[in-house]
Amino acid sequence: MKHVITLIPGDGIGPEVTESVVRIFKAAGLQIDWERHDAGVTAFDKTEETLPVALLDSIKRNKVALKGPVTTPIGQGFTSVNVGLRKALDLYANLRPVRNLPGVTSRYTDIDLIIVRENTEDLYAGLEHEVIPGVVESLKIITERASTNIARFAFDFAVKYQRKKITAIHKANIMKLSDGLFLDSCRAVARDHMDDIAYEERIVDAACMHLVMHPEKMDVLLLPNLYGDIVSDLCAGLVGGLGVVPGANFGRDSAVFEAVHGSAPDIALANLANPTALLLSGLMMLDHIGEHEVAAKIRAGLDAVLMKGAIRTRDLGGDATTTAFTDAICREVHA
Ligand code: ATP
């Protein structure tokens, strides 16, 4: 069956890692019509829009997109395209499985964590203003609706994939109203699952320490947007770094698959990026569209290359280029 999927190459290392995934999918025999769209600075240069309407229309039509990282300027410039996309399509749930990969040595073994991050509000609302010179205010928006939706998503996921425990992560001792509402919403959903899923709560700072000391004792993490962002990078560090952790953004109508990492401008255009994180995001996408067999075949090919260990990218201790690593996986999966 032929699929039509929106592809956002992005910028920085985005074009290199998306091209890698496109090549591997082709080598595995998948028939995909990619609808390529620019976003962020690359789109602005052509259309003076950072999040073009044509891109949003393409995702709405196809319901599925694979997205490379798009740079957000720090401290100035346009607002985040990544956040804008999630808001525009109401991609309210960000799912990030964090697992050890075969052959990839890290400080920990047997890591199997699921991060469920609220994706539409919190300090990411981007509502900031200057009160008087020298004093600024950022608004942290937490709603019962969004908190309940993300909690439901986490519990539904936990039930479907037979997970044992959900940990809601917060700072409600300090932000009693906002994080308090987040917790109240999680508790209300947890009460409906008292018989099937264990539920606990941890303050974000203590949760970080616990994750570093005993990550094997955590299972599904349920977080508001900002803590979700920070804890995601921490968890990536547990299993070998940002080059190996995938992600997916789910809405009610569409889903956008993207790695946890950003555009990594320090290694862009150098053929050094590890495409594994985006490839694993792409495999989540294949499972989502029902291509389980091909996903399993590619996964086996990736595992084989990582296990052999001779060809791996610099972030994993090797010296292979993105292209050489991609070629190796293509040889494994060739249809
Ligand atoms: P953002 O806030 O936009 O998510 P970030 O601050 O998390 O970005 P990244 O761009 O994700 O930063 O990258 C941080 C560093 O991790 C990079 O500078 C790069 O060295 C490394 N890195 C990230 N992704 C990869 C990758 N796919 N392959 C190799 N190294 C990577």
Side-chain angles (χ1 to χ4, degrees):
M1 180 183 165
K2 192 164 198 167
H3 302 277
V4 184
I5 296 176
T6 307
L7 181 70
I8 307 167
D11 54 64
I13 59 171
E16 295 162 84
V17 290
T18 46
E19 205 42 49
S20 163
V21 175
V22 167
R23 281 183 52 210
I24 293 165
F25 280 14
K26 193 169 176 200
L30 275 165
Q31 294 204 10
I32 299 179
D33 261 351
W34 297 103
E35 284 185 10
R36 286 168 196 265
H37 285 273
D38 291 314
V41 74
T42 46
F44 191 82
D45 290 346
K46 291 179 193 160
T47 62
E48 300 206 343
E49 287 175 299
T50 52
L51 192 53
V53 176
L55 159 61
L56 294 174
D57 285 347
S58 168
I59 301 178
K60 283 179 192 159
R61 209 171 39 244
N62 299 330
K63 315 268 186 250
V64 181
L66 183 68
K67 175 180 169 297
V70 175
T71 303
T72 307
I74 295 177
Q76 54 183 9
F78 58 83
T79 54
S80 167
V81 168
N82 309 308
V83 174
L85 186 66
R86 294 167 195 165
K87 281 194 197 164
L89 299 171
D90 197 20
L91 301 168
Y92 68 97
N94 187 198
L95 180 74
R96 295 170 159 181
V98 182
R99 298 192 178 102
N100 293 104
L101 291 180
V104 176
T105 317
S106 73
R107 286 176 190 273
Y108 303 88
T109 51
D110 299 326
I111 301 278
D112 181 8
L113 293 164
I114 301 291
I115 294 173
V116 177
R117 168 190 177 191
E118 202 288 324
N119 226 2
T120 61
E121 55 181 27
D122 195 353
L123 281 159
Y124 278 70
L127 298 172
E128 296 189 302
H129 59 268
E130 185 177 62
V131 181
I132 52 169
V135 182
V136 296
E137 198 169 45
S138 295
L139 300 180
K140 170 162 166 145
I141 307 294
I142 299 286
T143 65
E144 186 180 353
R145 180 181 164 274
S147 303
T148 304
N149 283 344
I150 197 66
R152 283 205 185 114
F153 182 93
F155 276 91
D156 289 349
F157 178 93
V159 170
K160 185 169 176 193
Y161 293 98
Q162 294 166 357
R163 308 295 299 208
K164 300 264 173 305
K165 181 174 70 176
I166 292 192
T167 306
I169 295 181
H170 66 96
K171 190 79 182 173
N173 50 335
I174 304 299
M175 282 157 281
K176 295 180 194 296
L177 275 183
S178 53
D179 284 17
L181 178 57
F182 177 77
L183 274 190
D184 285 345
S185 310
C186 294
R187 284 175 194 162
V189 177
R191 276 196 288 277
D192 296 337
H193 289 276
M194 271 186 332
D195 297 334
D196 44 4
I197 307 284
Y199 172 75
E200 64 171 17
E201 296 166 355
R202 279 183 194 269
I203 297 176
V204 61
D205 41 357
C208 288
M209 187 195 69
H210 194 69
L211 274 167
V212 171
M213 291 184 73
H214 302 291
E216 74 288 349
K217 293 193 177 156
M218 305 284 256
D219 187 2
V220 178
L221 311 181
L222 169 57
L223 310 99
N225 208 338
L226 180 63
Y227 308 146
D229 177 52
I230 298 165
V231 170
S232 290
D233 277 26
L234 186 155
C235 289
L238 303 176
V239 295
L242 285 166
V244 298
V245 180
N249 305 289
F250 291 104
R252 296 198 194 289
D253 300 321
S254 42
V256 175
F257 295 81
E258 66 177 330
V260 169
H261 63 72
S263 58
D266 54 325
I267 54 166
L269 304 175
N271 209 5
L272 289 173
N274 186 351
T276 301
L278 190 72
L279 179 59
L280 291 171
S281 311
L283 299 189
M284 290 171 78
M285 182 181 81
L286 293 185
D287 280 326
H288 178 74
I289 61 174
E291 290 282 6
H292 305 292
E293 265 178 41
V294 192
K297 180 169 75 168
I298 297 173
R299 176 69 210 223
L302 167 67
D303 288 355
V305 172
L306 290 173
M307 287 289 277
K308 286 179 195 161
I311 302 172
R312 56 174 63 187
T313 47
R314 203 176 62 174
D315 58 311
L316 299 184
D319 59 6
T321 59
T322 312
T323 311
F325 183 67
T326 305
D327 289 342
I329 301 172
C330 287
R331 283 194 293 275
E332 291 287 339
V333 302
H334 210 279

